[in-house]
Amino acid sequence: MFAAKCCKDLEQLDRRPEKILQINQFRYLVALAKERHFGRAAASLGISQSALSQALRQFERHFGVPIVQRHQGGFHGFTREGEAVLALARQFIADHDRLLNTNWEDPDAHLTGTLRIALSPVAMTITSLLTAPFAAKYPGVKLSVLCKTMPEIERGLKEFEYDIGVTYLDGLTLGGLRPYALYEEAYYLLVPRDHPLSARKSIDWKEVGMLPLCLLSPHLHNRIIIDRILESVGIVPQAVIETNCSLGLFAHMRTGNWLTVVPHSYFYLLGDWVSIRSIPIVNPSETATIGIVIHEREPLMPAVRAFVEIAQQTGVGKQLDRYRA
């Protein structure tokens, strides 16, 4: 009920100057939600803390309810009504920025603005397969590419911090997101070329689980998938070394003291490294779907629609298959 009232209020604002809510005031609210601190939010906005407090008080007077929980002058979260106003503020800003960057004569002719793309760590390896063809067709759009965990991607899309996510589709937990499959991720054991296993044509997951492994950190979805597969063949997952950076996997594997499991999309970066052998892991032959995720809303921001269309036409899966061992 309160959210509906907020929508009506935003549509029918009192036109007296002191009653009109400005776009910057909505940004103040979103900044506070991000920083969770009055001083840091004001600093990020380049305004004084008193100006931020005054803007928040105007919000509360306008809607007639408390929006921010305060204790001894500090920020202690949003009220239930404040959360509803915050959700509308995020959507309002997203819609405002989308319209601001729209070419009304031909929305797709000369796209401009910034497209914010958040990718899971394993998907960062194929970023250029998506961004390069888009940038070639729409050079006026600035691309901001960020590496984020799956929960961060989901939250960021819901809160309009990101426009596009690229991640595992099977691990999505939040509603209101629209998925587009790109490719099926398969798993390989990486070993140095002079390693005793380097001549193998394939290897079972059970045997992989017995090896000294360097794997991604347990909170990352790639690791969650690997642990689940190992558990399915009766192996308690154990990694000698854990890292949240793919470069850490390669660095430790190159020593020959540790081996690692990677998705085949990594071969796009590895290319023809003569010092590395990749061995398909079987029994079971598992895959996971990587895809694009966007906010479920209409109309779509033109740049988002264009990015999805180009990504689907690019055939990422077929391109990656060329790099399999």
Side-chain angles (χ1 to χ4, degrees):
M1 292 292 293
F2 181 76
K5 177 182 181 298
C6 290
C7 290
K8 183 177 180 180
D9 284 351
L10 290 178
E11 293 172 358
Q12 300 178 351
L13 291 176
D14 189 321
R15 305 313 296 177
R16 289 175 294 173
E18 69 274 14
K19 292 293 185 179
I20 296 176
L21 297 179
Q22 304 294 329
I23 182 66
N24 280 344
Q25 292 173 288
F26 289 94
R27 297 191 191 279
Y28 296 170
L29 198 64
V30 173
L32 180 59
K34 180 179 181 181
E35 299 294 339
R36 314 294 293 181
H37 185 275
F38 289 120
R40 290 196 299 270
S44 71
L45 293 163
I47 62 173
S48 67
Q49 189 168 328
S50 61
L52 175 61
S53 296
Q54 182 179 354
L56 295 174
R57 294 294 186 190
Q58 184 176 354
F59 260 103
E60 293 177 324
R61 288 195 300 271
H62 181 84
F63 291 111
V65 294
I67 290 176
V68 177
Q69 295 178 354
R70 302 171 177 85
H71 181 65
Q72 295 182 347
F75 176 80
H76 281 258
F78 291 92
T79 63
R80 183 184 63 179
E81 296 85 356
E83 291 289 353
V85 174
L86 175 62
L88 290 169
R90 284 173 170 146
Q91 184 164 346
F92 176 68
I93 292 172
D95 288 339
H96 171 273
D97 293 346
R98 174 178 60 82
L99 293 174
L100 197 62
N101 291 312
T102 296
N103 181 327
W104 294 104
E105 294 182 359
D106 184 351
D108 293 331
H110 303 288
L111 295 181
T112 58
T114 298
L115 194 62
R116 301 161 300 176
I117 309 169
L119 302 96
S120 288
V122 296
M124 289 294 292
T125 58
I126 57 96
T127 307
S128 62
L129 293 178
L130 300 173
T131 56
F134 178 86
K137 188 170 183 179
Y138 300 107
V141 178
K142 177 182 177 181
L143 299 177
S144 172
V145 180
L146 304 170
C147 184
K148 298 291 179 179
T149 64
M150 178 178 290
E152 290 173 333
I153 291 173
E154 288 190 278
R155 177 192 56 77
L157 288 171
K158 296 289 287 187
E159 296 180 358
F160 302 99
E161 290 184 14
Y162 316 129
D163 303 306
I164 291 173
V166 183
T167 187
Y168 292 95
L169 299 187
D170 66 330
L172 298 175
T173 60
L174 300 182
L177 300 177
R178 186 187 306 175
Y180 298 86
L182 291 176
Y183 63 93
E184 291 293 320
E185 175 182 272
Y187 303 100
Y188 287 73
L189 179 71
L190 288 191
V191 302
R193 186 163 288 276
D194 58 357
H195 192 275
L197 293 173
S198 64
R200 294 280 292 273
K201 299 299 182 183
S202 65
I203 188 169
D204 290 356
W205 276 101
K206 182 169 287 190
E207 187 175 354
V208 169
M210 303 293 187
L211 299 171
L213 297 174
C214 176
L215 299 175
L216 290 176
S217 302
H219 71 283
L220 298 175
H221 198 70
N222 171 267
R223 175 64 182 280
I224 292 172
I225 291 174
I226 291 173
D227 285 355
R228 186 179 67 229
I229 297 173
L230 291 174
E231 289 171 354
S232 74
V233 296
I235 298 295
V236 177
Q238 291 185 346
V240 179
I241 296 180
E242 296 175 337
T243 174
N244 66 351
C245 176
S246 297
L247 291 178
L249 299 179
F250 303 143
H252 289 92
M253 181 274 304
R254 287 293 296 272
T255 68
N257 296 324
W258 303 276
L259 306 180
T260 190
V261 176
V262 300
H264 77 287
S265 56
Y266 278 34
F267 303 157
Y268 176 63
L269 288 185
L270 296 177
D272 298 323
W273 284 12
V274 296
S275 59
I276 294 178
R277 276 276 293 125
S278 58
I279 306 171
I281 309 177
V282 297
N283 296 325
S285 297
E286 293 280 347
T287 63
T289 305
I290 299 289
I292 287 175
V293 186
I294 63 174
H295 198 290
E296 184 67 76
R297 61 199 298 263
E298 291 291 348
L300 289 179
M301 177 180 167
V304 170
R305 184 177 67 250
F307 189 92
V308 171
E309 290 175 352
I310 290 176
Q312 291 180 309
Q313 297 166 3
T314 299
V316 175
K318 289 184 178 179
Q319 293 195 58
L320 292 178
D321 284 342
R322 300 205 308 263
Y323 296 91
R324 288 181 188 256

